[in-house]
Amino acid sequence: ATGCFCYDPGFKATCSCASAITYIDGPRGVLLHRGYAIEELAADGDFDDVSYLLLFGDLPDRKAKALHSARLVAERRVHERLIHFYSGFLSNAHPMAIMVGVVGALSAFYHDKLDVFDAGDQVAAAYRVIAKLPTLAAMAYKTAVGEPFVYPRDALSHCGNLLHMLFAKPGAEYVVDPLAERALEVWMILHMDHEQNASTSTVRIAGSSEANPYAAIASGITALWGPAHGGANEAVIRMLEEIGSVDQIPAAVARAKDKSDSFRLMGFGHRVYKSYDPRARILKSYCHELLGKLQREDPLMELALELEKVALEDEYFVSRGLYPNTDFYSGIILRALGIPRDMYTVLFAVARTVGWISQWREMISDSTRVIGRPRQLYVGPAPRSFAAVDDRA
Ligand code: SDX
């Protein structure tokens, strides 16, 4: 159907789906956040710059940035009672299953006095979720590996603190590698927001009912998990491991083209980009740079490069506009940082929380219209009368 998500056929700037946060030009592979090109933000910005930009609309001056950083640091810890949730999960629980539970539970700890229409409360909730998601994510990882939780360190950057909470062990020295810290920060910037993707739309719909933002973010995590969306970063690595070697690539490409086979090239194709996803281009280049600096080879990187080459020489993919998307190379970077595969979508959620809460705040601030009431095109039976059970065919 024509028109936009909120069923406003006019797709006017006044409809509730209008947003000033992210602009995507699918055919040209352009991605802007508040007017800034993703290439510049990834090259020159840091986590605090870009999270402030998405939330408030401009890059912060030095004073605003210092305050923003301080507010994020102050919100990193979670209520001590929330920690008990983790002991209820089986050790083989997928970290995304844990995140869906514990992020929703934030509502039980921080929602009671929240007025979703109060500007101050909106900002307070934004700082809480952006700052607490890394802590909750690290605790999900520690639960999975059976290690004690590591509390946030105020002196560390957003990404340095996340690495520390993931990999530090009580009693052992852990020093954050600046190279890993910057690689994770660039990765986070590239995943922060992406207009009306499935999970962001979910957050906006949930929030439009005036549900609290913690529950809305939890709904976004649920939507992100699927392999057609954020779960693709984990699925790409599984696929590359399954392909195993370069000589198996032709068979994999043939399966991906075979309509009788449900196999798809994970990390390829996009609802909006029918050209190269600009984020994938940056991530691909960053993989080379990071592996080079770490003096590491990753056989999956070689496999990914060759798979891309073969696919983009194949008319099936090029004619359908199927190019690598952000998920195709993102797992290679996380592998180089020692982050396990089932944490990839969790980190996507940690990064995308900045976009989700920025979009939530933009939507709830325009409280004139409830969104998320798209209509359906009815294709069912014509009107008919009820029949008693013995009169039914
Ligand atoms: C993300 O929306 C966002 O912004 C999302 C995201 C974000 O930042 O939030 O960018 C993150 O979710 C990226 C996408 C990650 N998912 C994957 O990589 C999973 C693999 N990709 C596909 O499932 C698929 O490409 C989609 C769902 C991503 C997009 O599907 P489209 O554009 O709607 O394509 P389609 O389903 O209409 O298919 C068009 C044709 C079909 O063939 P024909 O019917 O024309 O013969 O392309 C084929 C499809 O069968 N096709 C693929 C394919 N993707 C589409 N064939 C093989 N492998 C693929 N990956």
Side-chain angles (χ1 to χ4, degrees):
T2 56
C4 57
F5 165 78
C6 69
Y7 198 66
D8 180 330
F11 199 62
K12 298 186 291 295
T14 54
C15 86
S16 295
C17 296
S19 170
I21 298 174
T22 292
Y23 170 75
I24 301 174
D25 180 329
R28 293 174 48 232
V30 172
L31 171 57
L32 307 178
H33 289 316
R34 305 280 195 185
Y36 292 95
I38 191 65
E39 292 80 3
E40 285 187 53
L41 293 174
D44 306 323
D46 63 25
F47 183 90
D48 293 346
D49 285 327
V50 186
S51 57
Y52 186 97
L53 174 69
L54 287 177
L55 257 180
F56 300 116
D58 281 308
L59 288 171
D61 61 22
R62 191 169 294 283
K63 187 167 168 244
K65 185 169 177 177
L67 179 59
H68 179 65
S69 306
R71 283 194 74 169
L72 285 172
V73 167
E75 284 290 357
R76 286 175 176 173
R77 287 163 185 78
V78 295
H79 193 290
E80 199 65 13
R81 296 289 295 275
L82 204 141
I83 291 176
H84 298 305
F85 272 76
Y86 289 80
S87 57
F89 290 100
L90 298 175
S91 58
N92 65 349
H94 193 291
M96 281 297 278
I98 297 176
M99 291 300 282
V100 168
V102 295
V103 174
L106 288 176
S107 311
F109 291 87
Y110 303 106
H111 164 48
D112 52 345
K113 293 182 274 310
L114 181 85
D115 172 0
V116 295
F117 294 112
D118 176 89
D121 283 3
Q122 292 167 5
V123 170
Y127 278 109
R128 278 200 192 109
V129 292
I130 294 173
K132 290 181 189 335
L133 262 283
T135 308
L136 297 174
M139 287 159 62
Y141 171 66
K142 288 299 196 188
T143 299
V145 296
E147 290 178 6
F149 297 147
V150 174
Y151 280 67
R153 290 270 299 276
D154 294 358
L156 296 174
S157 72
H158 192 84
C159 293
N161 175 55
L162 175 52
L163 288 169
H164 177 262
M165 293 189 293
L166 285 170
F167 297 127
K169 293 176 174 53
E173 184 67 18
Y174 178 80
V175 178
V176 176
D177 174 351
L179 186 61
E181 182 179 15
R182 180 58 187 160
L184 184 58
E185 185 167 65
V186 171
W187 193 95
M188 290 269 172
I189 290 168
L190 292 168
H191 286 80
M192 274 187 188
D193 191 63
H194 207 240
E195 203 220 53
Q196 285 284 53
N197 54 83
S199 53
T200 300
S201 302
T202 304
V203 170
R204 285 179 78 113
I205 285 184
S208 73
S209 71
E210 300 173 28
N212 72 77
Y214 313 111
I217 297 292
S219 70
I221 293 176
T222 305
L224 185 75
W225 192 358
H229 187 16
N233 56 16
E234 181 181 339
V236 166
I237 298 299
R238 285 183 195 281
M239 173 187 73
L240 292 173
E241 286 172 346
E242 188 187 317
I243 292 172
S245 59
V246 170
D247 61 340
Q248 294 305 312
I249 286 178
V253 169
R255 281 191 61 198
K257 293 158 60 174
D258 176 357
K259 295 303 170 196
S260 65
D261 191 329
S262 61
F263 178 80
R264 286 193 155 191
L265 287 193
M266 301 314 281
F268 264 77
H270 199 276
R271 274 271 189 268
V272 180
Y273 293 123
K274 298 309 174 187
S275 57
Y276 215 105
D277 182 332
R279 301 166 298 171
R281 201 185 301 282
I282 299 167
L283 285 164
K284 176 180 176 181
S285 142
Y286 215 85
C287 284
H288 284 302
E289 187 182 329
L290 179 64
L291 290 171
K293 285 180 181 169
L294 292 172
Q295 293 174 333
R296 248 185 250 164
E297 304 260 315
D298 183 346
L300 295 193
M301 180 66 184
E302 300 323 309
L303 211 47
L305 290 169
E306 182 61 22
L307 178 57
E308 174 189 333
K309 181 172 171 295
V310 171
L312 296 191
E313 287 167 355
D314 189 306
E315 187 273 338
Y316 172 94
F317 294 92
V318 177
S319 65
R320 291 170 173 80
L322 302 175
Y323 291 84
N325 59 51
T326 189
D327 292 304
F328 190 59
Y329 288 104
S330 74
I332 305 280
I333 288 185
L334 298 181
R335 269 168 65 90
L337 301 182
I339 293 167
R341 191 177 57 200
D342 60 6
M343 281 294 291
Y344 294 179
T345 311
V346 171
L347 291 190
F348 194 155
V350 168
R352 187 53 57 90
T353 292
V354 179
W356 285 334
I357 199 67
S358 301
Q359 296 253 1
W360 169 83
R361 190 165 162 259
E362 180 181 68
M363 176 278 300
I364 203 71
S365 304
D366 171 15
S367 59
T368 56
R369 297 171 66 116
V370 173
I371 67 165
R373 184 51 182 98
R375 297 300 306 279
Q376 287 183 328
L377 190 62
Y378 179 71
V379 293
R384 51 186 170 166
S385 303
F386 185 81
V389 66
D390 295 331
D391 299 337
R392 294 170 197 161

